[in-house]
Amino acid sequence: MPGGSPQTLRPFLWRAEQLYPDTEVVSRTHEGITRYDYGTYADRVAQLANALDDAGYGDGERLGTFCWNHHRHFETYFGIPGMGAQLHTINPLLPDKHVQYIVENAEDETIFVDQSFLPKLEGAVADDPDPFDSVERFVVMGESVPETDLDAVAYDSFIDGHSTTYDWPELEEERPAGLCYTSGTTGRPKGVEYTQQMLWSHTMALQTPQGLPLAEDDVVMPVVPMFHVNAWGLPFSATAGGAKHVYPGPQPEPADLAHLIESEGVTITAGVPTVWLGLMDYVKENDVDLSTLDRLVVGGSAAPEAMIRFFDDHGVELVHAWGMTETAPVGAVSHLKHDLEDADYETQLEKRSKQGLIVPGLEFEVVDDEGEAVPHDGEAYGELLIRGPWVTTEYFARPEATEQEFENGYLKTGDVVSVDEDGYIKIVDRSKDVIKSGGEWISSQELENELMAHESVSEAAVIGVPHERWQERPLALVVPAEDADTDSLAGELREHVLDSYPKWWVPDSVVTIDEVPKTATGKFDKQTLREEYGDKSMVEGRVPEDAAPE
Ligand code: AMP
């Protein structure tokens, strides 16, 4: 290695501790607001590393987290990968069977769990204990452990009494540091592993002016969950820049976010459009001071133009970004190019509504069905292929998925995009059929299978329809079985789906149709269905009343 030290996360924390020991980390938890500085943070991270060391970890073991955004979760971000184990952030909002599959596939040895998610995890274990065979202990985030059937210890007592210094090992760049599962469009979730070097290079790219740079005078509030691709990498880059961190904790409501922005002087925050739609409504009805807020980062789904205008009117720059679990995640950010700075507002808005310019360090291609590159004219579209130091080239323990989704070192994103003359990438559609509701995936295929398992259903197709608040919601198009009672069908299907899935997976509407159109190869023709039913207004009026969610 010609360079003096490997590309790992450790120097980011080292720098913050050296230069900004008094800068704060603020966190909203079930215990109220916790506030300490980088100095204390670094001490607790060292205590955690010592505790993990004592538990026998440090050689690539996967340790899961099942948590919201707060200071203890942040401690695992540097503590686990820093001591040589692997941080596996598990999405607690997934259906139990996905959680079971993910834990089994990752073979997690410890799971750190929030008190509020403890019943959910207990339920998943009780339903099927086998996938949790590898788990040696559950660590409950807090000072104490509520009554539980699980063999659990409180986080604070787990780290308590351990030294506040730790002899951090010099890890090789290839050492897996993180793991995050993305919902499969077909079948099972797929794990994406992040090495030390991937997280290092992603952090450095974020810190460029073309990324989402964070400085010591920034106050960063990641609303995007820490179980979604490391909260888009912000906990790492905020530390690298020496910024103040604000973590909004369990299930933050718009009022909580508004309060934290005001009381902590948040300068930059990030999340999916649903979060900001909620905040917009709140700001319209309440007197909220957004004067400290410079930037609001939106990604995960397209930022509606009206949202960009709204925040512009309130003096907050909305920054649109694109990324995937597979790209760690940030791949493009919609900054205005220098020569567009004098353009009229509408032209600027058109550019800013696109998903952005590729960040430095990555390369992309856009290819049509024959694999030919399409022109960058803002019209032609094709699939986005992307590669770079922090873009994965494989799926964890899934060779068959790896074969289908990578080509010549490029990740096949499944996103259909156009690129304009200025290089702005715009997502036209997803070649996948998954439904994205409030930043979470709903697999249309799984829902179809579930619906078709009901005796009154002969065929069912599920598509996403636009929704003002949640971006997309599932609409079920159902061919009833011959003797089905169509009056009660929607209500029965709702109960049926609820038996196996969380409430937010239940289709908002069930529309009865005579036949599901098919493609030449006999597959459900979702394109035709989308054309006919994809516009929400066309569905309204056809929806039986009892199909609407409570
Ligand atoms: P995930 O792996 O869950 O982060 O989802 C990645 C997918 O979200 C991408 O492949 C896109 O389809 C979608 N996505 C991410 N950012 C945006 C955005 N700004 N606009 C539209 N879709 C987006």
Side-chain angles (χ1 to χ4, degrees):
M1 185 179 63
S5 66
Q7 296 175 354
T8 64
L9 291 171
R10 191 172 58 93
F12 297 139
L13 176 56
W14 177 83
R15 181 177 188 274
E17 200 185 349
Q18 297 296 312
L19 301 187
Y20 311 107
D22 301 328
T23 296
E24 283 180 321
V25 175
V26 179
S27 150
R28 172 181 166 266
T29 70
H30 62 282
E31 296 152 340
I33 297 284
T34 298
R35 185 183 300 278
Y36 59 43
D37 55 28
Y38 273 129
T40 308
Y41 173 74
D43 286 351
R44 285 174 61 94
V45 170
Q47 286 184 300
L48 172 62
N50 279 305
L52 295 173
D53 207 326
D54 270 14
Y57 301 137
D59 193 19
E61 301 82 4
R62 280 171 295 282
L63 310 179
T65 60
F66 206 70
C67 306
W68 290 109
N69 296 11
H70 48 68
H71 63 291
R72 292 186 181 93
H73 201 179
F74 177 42
E75 288 163 15
T76 68
Y77 265 49
F78 276 97
I80 292 176
M83 59 84 59
Q86 189 175 358
L87 171 72
H88 172 204
T89 51
I90 308 168
N91 181 345
L93 306 182
L94 290 174
D96 285 355
K97 53 183 164 177
H98 288 195
V99 174
Q100 290 157 348
Y101 169 76
I102 284 172
V103 171
E104 186 168 38
N105 190 247
E107 297 177 325
D108 292 311
E109 297 191 21
T110 283
I111 297 181
F112 294 84
V113 52
D114 273 2
Q115 289 208 3
S116 58
F117 287 130
L118 197 55
K120 160 99 180 162
L121 195 58
E122 269 174 349
V125 176
D127 175 60
D128 187 1
D130 291 350
F132 296 87
D133 274 354
S134 57
V135 181
E136 294 166 348
R137 71 173 66 69
F138 295 91
V139 180
V140 180
M141 293 307 209
E143 290 168 4
S144 57
V145 182
E147 211 174 293
T148 169
D149 298 337
L150 299 177
D151 186 10
V153 52
Y155 179 88
D156 286 8
S157 32
F158 183 63
I159 68 167
D160 222 29
H162 287 282
S163 166
T164 53
T165 57
Y166 184 70
D167 189 13
W168 299 101
E170 180 145 305
L171 301 167
E172 66 279 23
E173 297 179 353
E174 296 73 28
R175 171 72 68 110
L179 177 67
C180 184
Y181 281 72
T182 181
S183 300
T185 47
T186 50
R188 298 169 301 180
K190 295 174 291 187
V192 177
E193 204 162 55
Y194 310 113
T195 61
Q196 289 278 346
Q197 175 277 326
M198 286 165 80
L199 294 180
W200 184 90
S201 56
H202 180 260
T203 304
M204 295 303 278
L206 277 191
Q207 285 296 80
T208 64
Q210 294 78 15
L212 300 166
L214 301 174
E216 64 194 74
D217 56 352
D218 271 314
V219 179
V220 189
M221 180 169 74
V223 182
V224 48
M226 293 171 87
F227 53 76
H228 267 173
V229 210
N230 305 322
W232 298 348
L234 295 173
F236 296 127
S237 58
T239 309
K244 170 176 164 181
H245 300 234
V246 177
Y247 291 104
Q251 209 146 21
E253 295 293 331
D256 300 312
L257 300 179
H259 174 70
L260 287 169
I261 291 170
E262 285 182 333
S263 60
E264 301 302 331
V266 171
T267 63
I268 173 168
T269 179
V272 296
T274 305
V275 168
W276 307 126
L277 286 169
L279 186 68
M280 277 165 68
D281 286 345
Y282 187 81
V283 169
K284 282 179 201 156
E285 278 154 32
N286 298 275
D287 189 17
V288 182
D289 179 6
L290 296 177
S291 60
T292 60
L293 196 59
D294 296 327
R295 291 173 289 167
L296 186 141
V297 184
V298 181
S301 293
E305 212 178 89
M307 184 182 283
I308 307 183
R309 285 183 201 273
F310 178 90
F311 284 104
D312 279 348
D313 289 346
H314 286 77
V316 180
E317 184 196 354
L318 186 145
V319 185
H320 197 190
W322 170 91
M324 302 176 74
T325 307
E326 288 86 339
T327 61
V330 180
V333 182
S334 211
H335 289 297
L336 272 187
K337 279 175 117 174
H338 180 62
D339 55 5
L340 286 163
E341 271 166 19
D342 295 329
D344 60 83
Y345 183 67
E346 295 304 317
T347 308
Q348 291 186 344
L349 199 64
E350 192 215 319
K351 297 292 184 188
R352 290 169 60 207
S353 303
K354 298 190 178 187
Q355 277 70 15
L357 302 170
I358 193 86
V359 296
L362 300 183
E363 293 168 278
F364 74 90
E365 285 179 7
V366 180
V367 296
D368 62 19
D369 286 349
E370 277 76 50
E372 297 296 325
V374 307
H376 292 187
D377 58 6
E379 298 284 330
Y381 53 83
E383 186 177 7
L384 177 68
L385 311 184
I386 194 163
R387 71 169 181 176
W390 58 93
V391 177
T392 193
T393 53
E394 60 185 14
Y395 288 109
F396 180 75
R398 284 288 299 280
E400 71 287 1
T402 297
E403 250 168 56
Q404 291 155 15
E405 309 208 28
F406 298 88
E407 208 170 82
N408 303 328
Y410 280 84
L411 162 76
K412 293 155 88 176
T413 64
D415 282 338
V416 178
V417 305
S418 65
V419 183
D420 67 19
E421 296 82 355
D422 289 311
Y424 284 84
I425 300 168
K426 176 181 161 74
I427 303 216
V428 180
D429 198 359
R430 285 200 297 272
S431 57
K432 314 162 183 174
D433 291 320
V434 288
I435 297 152
K436 218 161 184 200
S437 176
E440 298 288 337
W441 289 122
I442 296 175
S443 161
S444 59
Q445 189 176 309
E446 273 200 57
L447 270 184
E448 287 163 9
N449 290 342
E450 194 65 22
L451 292 170
M452 289 192 282
H454 192 278
E455 56 190 11
S456 302
V457 174
S458 123
E459 270 185 337
V462 176
I463 58 169
V465 291
H467 187 279
E468 213 176 312
R469 172 138 190 241
W470 304 109
Q471 274 66 64
E472 276 190 325
R473 290 291 304 146
L475 163 73
L477 300 145
V478 171
V479 183
E482 244 170 51
D483 49 358
D485 177 357
T486 45
D487 289 340
S488 60
L489 186 59
E492 280 175 36
L493 291 180
R494 180 186 154 76
E495 290 309 314
H496 177 68
V497 173
L498 267 179
D499 279 344
S500 317
Y501 290 93
K503 197 168 153 196
W504 58 278
W505 274 56
V506 176
D508 280 11
S509 320
V510 176
V511 176
T512 316
I513 55 174
D514 291 335
E515 191 189 342
V516 176
K518 312 281 182 336
T519 64
T521 51
K523 297 196 179 114
F524 286 359
D525 185 355
K526 297 252 187 109
Q527 196 48 40
T528 301
L529 286 174
R530 267 194 284 266
E531 277 159 24
E532 195 170 344
Y533 298 97
D535 178 345
K536 195 168 152 251
S537 59
M538 296 174 70
V539 174
E540 272 159 9
R542 300 188 194 201
V543 183
E545 292 234 317
D546 60 352
E550 278 153 14

